[in-house]
Amino acid sequence: MERITIRFKVNGEDAIVAVAPHWNLLRVLREELELTGAKEGCGAGECGACTVLVNGRAVNACLYPAVEADGAEVTTVEGLAGPGGELHPIQRAFVEKGAVQCGFCTPGMVLSAKALLDRVPLPSEEEIRTALAGNLCRCTGYAQIIEAVQAAAEELSR
């Protein structure tokens, strides 16, 4: 099968991958680059478990054509932690507010929150709910998730 070579940055590192034209970004991240933080949930862009950032915008990697990542900057949940594994303030807030249970949806939630906070440093609750509307959680209440994003916004804006 014909493959196309794409070059992009993932979590600040250069990546060069030969992809089949029908591959999605999630497959490249998980199977070719072994970055398994983004999860395959529904595989149809409904649950948000596969959310990653492409040029700072939250996208469903299960729907995003891998060839469209050529030349882009991609951030996965693995790219948020600081040197030495220090949690990003959003990740820390999720832990502190009890917004994590099974953790399957958490990477997508965290990256959707990051995309929001990069655009709107102090969002309203309504803006948070809208930004996370594409991310589903089956385990926990959304109240803790909203509180975590609010806490992270406060910390990041100091």
Side-chain angles (χ1 to χ4, degrees), residues 132-150:
L132 300 181
N135 297 87
L136 303 179
C137 175
R138 293 180 178 185
C139 301
T140 189
Y142 286 88
Q144 297 98 325
I145 294 168
I146 302 301
E147 289 173 14
V149 177
Q150 290 171 325

Side-chain angles (χ1 to χ4, degrees), residues 3-154:
R3 295 215 177 177
I4 301 165
T5 300
I6 61 171
R7 294 171 172 77
F8 61 105
K9 285 197 179 286
V10 60
N11 301 329
E13 302 286 327
D14 291 326
I16 302 171
V17 183
V19 303
H22 65 279
W23 286 6
N24 62 37
L25 182 57
L26 184 62
R27 178 176 178 165
V28 171
L29 294 172
R30 290 185 58 84
E31 296 179 21
E32 301 298 316
L33 301 177
E34 299 180 354
L35 294 168
T36 57
K39 308 293 187 236
E40 181 161 5
C42 66
E46 299 288 331
C47 72
C50 64
T51 302
V52 298
L53 304 181
V54 175
N55 296 327
R57 187 173 59 94
V59 302
N60 291 318
C62 71
L63 297 180
Y64 198 88
V67 294
E68 295 292 320
D70 190 41
E73 290 194 27
V74 175
T75 303
T76 69
V77 74
E78 291 92 342
L80 288 187
E86 178 184 336
L87 294 179
H88 185 278
I90 298 171
Q91 294 170 307
R92 193 170 42 251
F94 268 65
V95 172
E96 291 172 358
K97 296 294 181 182
V100 176
Q101 287 199 3
C102 84
F104 192 83
C105 70
T106 305
M109 293 274 189
V110 167
L111 288 169
S112 289
K114 182 169 186 340
L116 170 65
L117 298 180
D118 287 347
R119 284 190 339 268
V120 184
L122 289 171
S124 67
E125 182 176 331
E126 179 73 26
E127 289 170 315
I128 295 169
R129 289 184 182 279
T130 299
L132 300 181
N135 297 87
L136 303 179
C137 175
R138 293 180 178 185
C139 301
T140 189
Y142 286 88
Q144 297 98 325
I145 294 168
I146 302 301
E147 289 173 14
V149 177
Q150 290 171 325
E154 289 176 24

